[in-house]
Amino acid sequence: MSVAPPRHIAIIMDGNGRWARARGLPRHFGHRKGVEALRRTIEAAADLGIANLTLFGFSTENWRRPASEVQELLGLMRRYLSSHVAELCENGIRLRVIGERQGFSRDLAGLIERAEELTRNNRRLVLTVALNYGARRELTLAVTRLVEEAAATGKAPLIDEAAISARLFTHDLPDPDLVIRSSGEQRLSNFLLWQSAYAELVFVDTLWPDFGRADLEYALSEYGRRDRRYGAVVTGE
Ligand code: FPP
């Protein structure tokens, strides 16, 4: 690989519904299979030496889905957080959740806090799951905080990139080097818009429930072929 391996990979998990429809099954079957793909992918990323993995689990826009599907997704999160924390610890994985917690019920918020607490000393991979997350909302909250903090001191706000980055949910994570989206769709859908300014984007046709190590390896090999210039010209050209 000519470029350094990515320190942070972010994934938009897409295609659960289509996976189910292709089999004549209700959409929730796709989401259930999607949890298996999520577990496979976390393990593969840790094996491949990735330090940070961020997964888009539930967007601020996903509340617009039918109530039964929203309940199914929230139920899967509950089950994952209650049953798989030991697995995360065995694999040295620290779990963090980004997004607006107040959107969730007290029991789900409690499970999130518990999982974060129980995994906080794990060092092999930092797994960040975006739940009730939207990038525009994140940026709006960051700027609001900046203005409110300044108002509290009676000074004009100092608005620059570092001040905004420091107030994002991802303030302690490096920017993603690689963003992957499954299912053949090619868009960011309000995911990590600020942080992905210079990310390499890789789109794979695999529907999320079928995603696994081979897709991650493919995305990494594609990433390895990219020439990352960050807007500059490579000297000697
Ligand atoms: C998109 O498929 C997928 C999601 C809504 C998010 C991913 C959800 C899971 C993997 C399940 C549970 C999550 C956690 C965090 C335990 P889609 O329904 O948009 O698929 P479609 O575009 O084919 O309809």
Side-chain angles (χ1 to χ4, degrees), residues 189-218:
S189 299
N190 205 15
F191 185 47
L192 302 179
L193 297 183
W194 174 280
Q195 300 87 335
S196 300
Y198 287 100
E200 296 298 327
L201 308 180
V202 173
F203 302 103
V204 297
D205 286 337
T206 311
L207 300 175
W208 180 253
D210 292 327
F211 194 95
R213 189 182 176 111
D215 297 283
L216 198 57
E217 284 177 339
Y218 162 77

Side-chain angles (χ1 to χ4, degrees), residues 13-18 27 31 34-35 57 65 77 80 129 208:
M13 308 181 285
D14 194 12
N16 294 350
R18 276 163 284 164
R27 292 176 59 81
H31 295 317
V35 176
R65 294 189 176 205
M77 285 174 214
Y80 181 77
V129 183
W208 180 253

Side-chain angles (χ1 to χ4, degrees), residues 141-152:
L141 287 172
V143 176
T144 305
R145 254 186 70 197
L146 197 54
V147 171
E148 285 174 355
E149 284 166 18

Side-chain angles (χ1 to χ4, degrees), residues 4 6 9 29 36 38 40 49 55 69 88 127 130 157 170 182-183 232:
I9 297 182
F29 276 83
E36 290 172 29
L38 172 142
R40 269 199 307 275
L55 302 174
E69 183 168 345
L88 292 172
L127 168 68
T170 53
S182 61
S183 90

